[in-house]
Amino acid sequence: MTSSMADIPFVVHNIKDITIGSDSWNLKVKVLRLWSLPDAYNLADFACLEMIFIDGEGTRIEASLPTYLMKSYNIDIVEERLYRFSTFSVVPNTGPYKATPHKYKLVFVKETKISLAEPFFIPVSTLNVKTAEELLSKGDE
């Protein structure tokens, strides 16, 4: 008897548990926000698609999808939609702004897998709306 990827259980990890040292993370999340960052050398193009993921515990993390990988996926990523994502590069969440307070940020790699997820509960009370000034500040948060 052979098994397909669909037969293999999808073990879901919590965003709060993500650390550097592994790229084998399986997430079931809602894409809370989605925006593109312009290419530094050609402002008419964009360099990557930035996202904020939120999981069933209400924990958020930023993720980045470089444009050169976008054509690899047969699925559109849309705000407010639920997805299953697996396999990322995990990097420190540093830079000119931090869209989430999470210590790390996810970067899509060639091996990242994407699929739509079945509905699940997202606690609304955990949403933390920030102003543009707060996002651009370099606070410790």
Side-chain angles (χ1 to χ4, degrees):
M1 176 180 207
T2 60
S3 67
S4 68
M5 285 298 287
D7 298 329
I8 299 170
F10 187 83
V11 177
V12 177
H13 298 104
N14 294 318
I15 289 175
K16 71 178 182 185
D17 297 328
I18 292 175
T19 60
I20 288 180
S22 174
D23 62 357
S24 299
W25 298 101
N26 298 314
L27 303 177
K28 191 162 85 168
V29 297
K30 179 184 211 176
V31 174
L32 192 60
R33 294 288 174 260
L34 179 73
W35 68 98
S36 59
L37 288 182
D39 186 310
Y41 302 104
N42 182 359
L43 296 178
D45 290 332
F46 62 97
C48 62
L49 195 60
E50 296 289 310
M51 296 166 256
I52 296 178
F53 294 167
I54 185 168
D55 66 12
E57 292 189 333
T59 308
R60 293 168 288 123
I61 192 166
E62 187 175 347
S64 182
L65 171 56
T67 54
Y68 69 88
L69 289 175
M70 286 182 165
K71 292 179 181 172
S72 305
Y73 302 108
N74 295 330
I75 190 168
D76 289 330
I77 301 173
V78 180
E79 278 186 5
E80 301 296 317
R81 196 169 282 171
L82 306 173
Y83 297 92
R84 294 183 347 169
F85 295 98
S86 62
T87 313
F88 301 92
S89 177
V90 180
V91 299
N93 188 8
T94 59
Y97 70 91
K98 289 177 78 170
T100 72
H102 201 287
K103 189 175 182 178
Y104 302 109
K105 178 178 174 176
L106 304 175
V107 179
F108 284 61
V109 293
K110 178 174 64 169
E111 296 79 16
T112 301
K113 303 284 186 249
I114 305 171
S115 64
L116 291 173
E118 62 281 356
F120 64 96
F121 177 74
I122 300 284
V124 177
S125 63
T126 60
L127 298 181
N128 182 11
V129 180
K130 292 190 176 217
T131 65
E133 292 79 20
E134 289 172 316
L135 289 175
L136 293 171
S137 74
K138 291 186 179 182
D140 293 330
E141 196 177 318

